[in-house]
Amino acid sequence: MEMSGGGGRVVVELSQIKDLVRQLEGHLGGSQTQEHCRLLASQISSLTERSISLITSYCSLDGGWKRPAADAAAPSPLSDASDAPFKATKKRKMTEKLKERVSSAAGSDVPADDGHSWRKYGQKEILGAKHPRGYYRCTHRHSQGCAATKQVQRADEDPALFDVFYIGTHTCVQSGGAAAAAGQAAAAAQAPEHNPGVHTLLQSLSSSLTVKTEGLIAAPDQEAPQGWAATAPFCLSSTPASGWCPGPERSPFCAPSTSENWGAAPATSDSNQHASCSFPPFELIAGDVQFEFSEVMSALVDVPSEFHDDFDIASFFS
DNA sequence: CATATTTGACCGAC
DNA sequence: GTCGGTCAAATATG
């Protein structure tokens, strides 16, 4: 497999993403049409997707990433998929998880709404964690047999942050919600210069985006599309290039819908702040490694181009 | 009343 | 036995 090649491509593509973000940023106060902004957003989306696919396939190459001590006590069941994806130890059904670190906005106790309707079905104290973990499943589990679940846990280090694990894919068709999100996205596009949501988006993408990987995917068949389709955790409201973000479905990065509860913490009034388009900082987990997107970005930009092909992405995380 | 949340019990994997 | 995930009855909320 193409280890260094993958890393190089990631570098290039992430750099492109950054450029696109800058362009989009520049257009916010400018005279560009919303079409142009959408196009840029679309490009950002597909590039990001591809980069993440590369990263995750890279991560799944076993040993490519360091293993933080954090997992020493409990080796991640998700990280060893390189040898046998669904091996004998059918431990907790080797599901793909995507971890996202969501900041609660403005000191709120609630992570931003991810656009789906969730119903809490449990909460557990987790060994070694300061805060309990909340278990959520899709509201349409019974009506539509949607199997998507998520787990929400307040970060130890920073109570303002939440770690959210998305497990499984939404098979439900959200009635009002998707339309609402589309409307919100459209609204955001219509008045970008007056829409803090768009700025939030951009800031998230270009600076506060936190990417973290850990034991994710390890798609048996090298490429990630399927793995990502199964989790499909984020897309930028634009049409996904490869169709992994199914139709009306929305992602954690899409605008929140109505007033769905969001988590263990009691809902406060801040949900309105994100009514347009909120892209909270997030992190990906795919191989027990975490890294700040902004760090990667700035570092990547500094990497001499002749370095790209040999670029060892793991060096960022050590 | 319907729907959502809480919380202890339960279960399977280690 | 412990632990993490889920179930389901009780409770809360609108």
Side-chain angles (χ1 to χ4, degrees):
Chain A
M1 329 240 186
E2 19 112 66
M3 277 245 202
S4 56
R9 280 178 59 192
V10 169
V11 172
V12 171
E13 296 194 357
L14 288 178
S15 298
Q16 289 174 348
I17 291 169
K18 185 163 186 173
D19 283 340
L20 288 169
V21 169
R22 281 190 181 141
Q23 284 183 53
L24 188 52
E25 234 170 354
H27 295 334
L28 283 178
S31 54
Q32 294 292 322
T33 64
Q34 56 173 291
E35 252 63 37
H36 191 84
C37 291
R38 278 188 184 172
L39 181 62
L40 289 173
S42 175
Q43 290 177 312
I44 293 168
S45 175
S46 55
L47 274 174
T48 306
E49 176 202 350
R50 279 167 51 193
S51 298
I52 290 172
S53 294
L54 285 170
I55 289 173
T56 51
S57 61
Y58 187 82
C59 290
S60 68
L61 290 176
D62 186 25
W65 305 91
K66 68 168 186 180
R67 262 170 218 289
D71 257 9
S76 168
L78 302 166
S79 57
D80 63 336
S82 54
D83 48 7
F86 299 102
K87 64 162 154 197
T89 34
K90 45 196 171 186
K91 176 185 179 175
R92 297 231 163 86
K93 198 152 181 223
M94 225 33 134
T95 49
E96 292 136 19
K97 275 190 185 179
L98 180 122
K99 181 178 178 181
E100 178 185 341
R101 174 154 291 189
V102 179
S103 69
S104 57
S108 140
D109 276 350
V110 192
D113 190 349
D114 62 7
H116 282 289
S117 343
W118 299 100
R119 175 167 180 160
K120 190 172 188 175
Y121 67 86
Q123 177 168 309
K124 265 293 209 194
E125 296 293 335
I126 300 302
L127 202 72
K130 291 180 188 165
H131 309 284
R133 175 179 302 167
Y135 298 88
Y136 298 80
R137 63 182 168 224
C138 180
T139 305
H140 309 103
R141 183 186 185 87
H142 292 119
S143 57
Q144 299 183 34
C146 180
T149 63
K150 76 171 180 182
Q151 299 172 4
V152 177
Q153 187 169 5
R154 194 180 286 264
D156 286 347
E157 330 85 69
D158 186 354
L161 296 178
F162 293 85
D163 290 329
V164 184
F165 288 88
Y166 290 90
I167 305 156
T169 181
H170 281 275
T171 57
C172 60
V173 178
Q174 304 226 353
S175 47
Q184 285 158 358
Q190 276 162 16
E193 66 273 28
H194 292 113
N195 201 315
V198 175
H199 285 283
T200 303
L201 182 163
L202 290 169
Q203 283 165 7
S204 295
L205 270 177
S206 61
S207 60
S208 52
L209 203 61
T210 304
V211 181
K212 186 175 188 174
T213 60
E214 169 187 325
L216 171 70
I217 307 303
D221 26 341
Q222 48 173 333
E223 267 323 299
Q226 233 169 351
W228 285 101
T231 4
F234 81 97
C235 69
L236 303 183
S237 80
S238 57
T239 311
S242 51
W244 49 265
C245 190
E249 253 201 19
R250 284 163 305 141
S251 75
F253 288 138
C254 292
S257 59
T258 46
S259 58
E260 299 300 337
N261 49 65
W262 226 106
T268 56
S269 57
D270 80 308
S271 51
N272 283 343
Q273 301 179 14
H274 296 270
S276 47
C277 196
S278 99
F279 292 77
F282 74 99
E283 55 189 30
L284 293 173
I285 301 218
D288 303 342
V289 182
Q290 55 183 300
F291 51 93
E292 285 247 338
F293 192 74
S294 55
E295 287 175 356
V296 175
M297 280 298 192
S298 49
L300 290 184
V301 169
D302 292 340
V303 175
S305 55
E306 71 265 20
F307 226 53
H308 285 185
D309 276 341
D310 299 303
F311 177 63
D312 180 10
I313 210 168
S315 64
F316 274 116
F317 315 121
S318 45

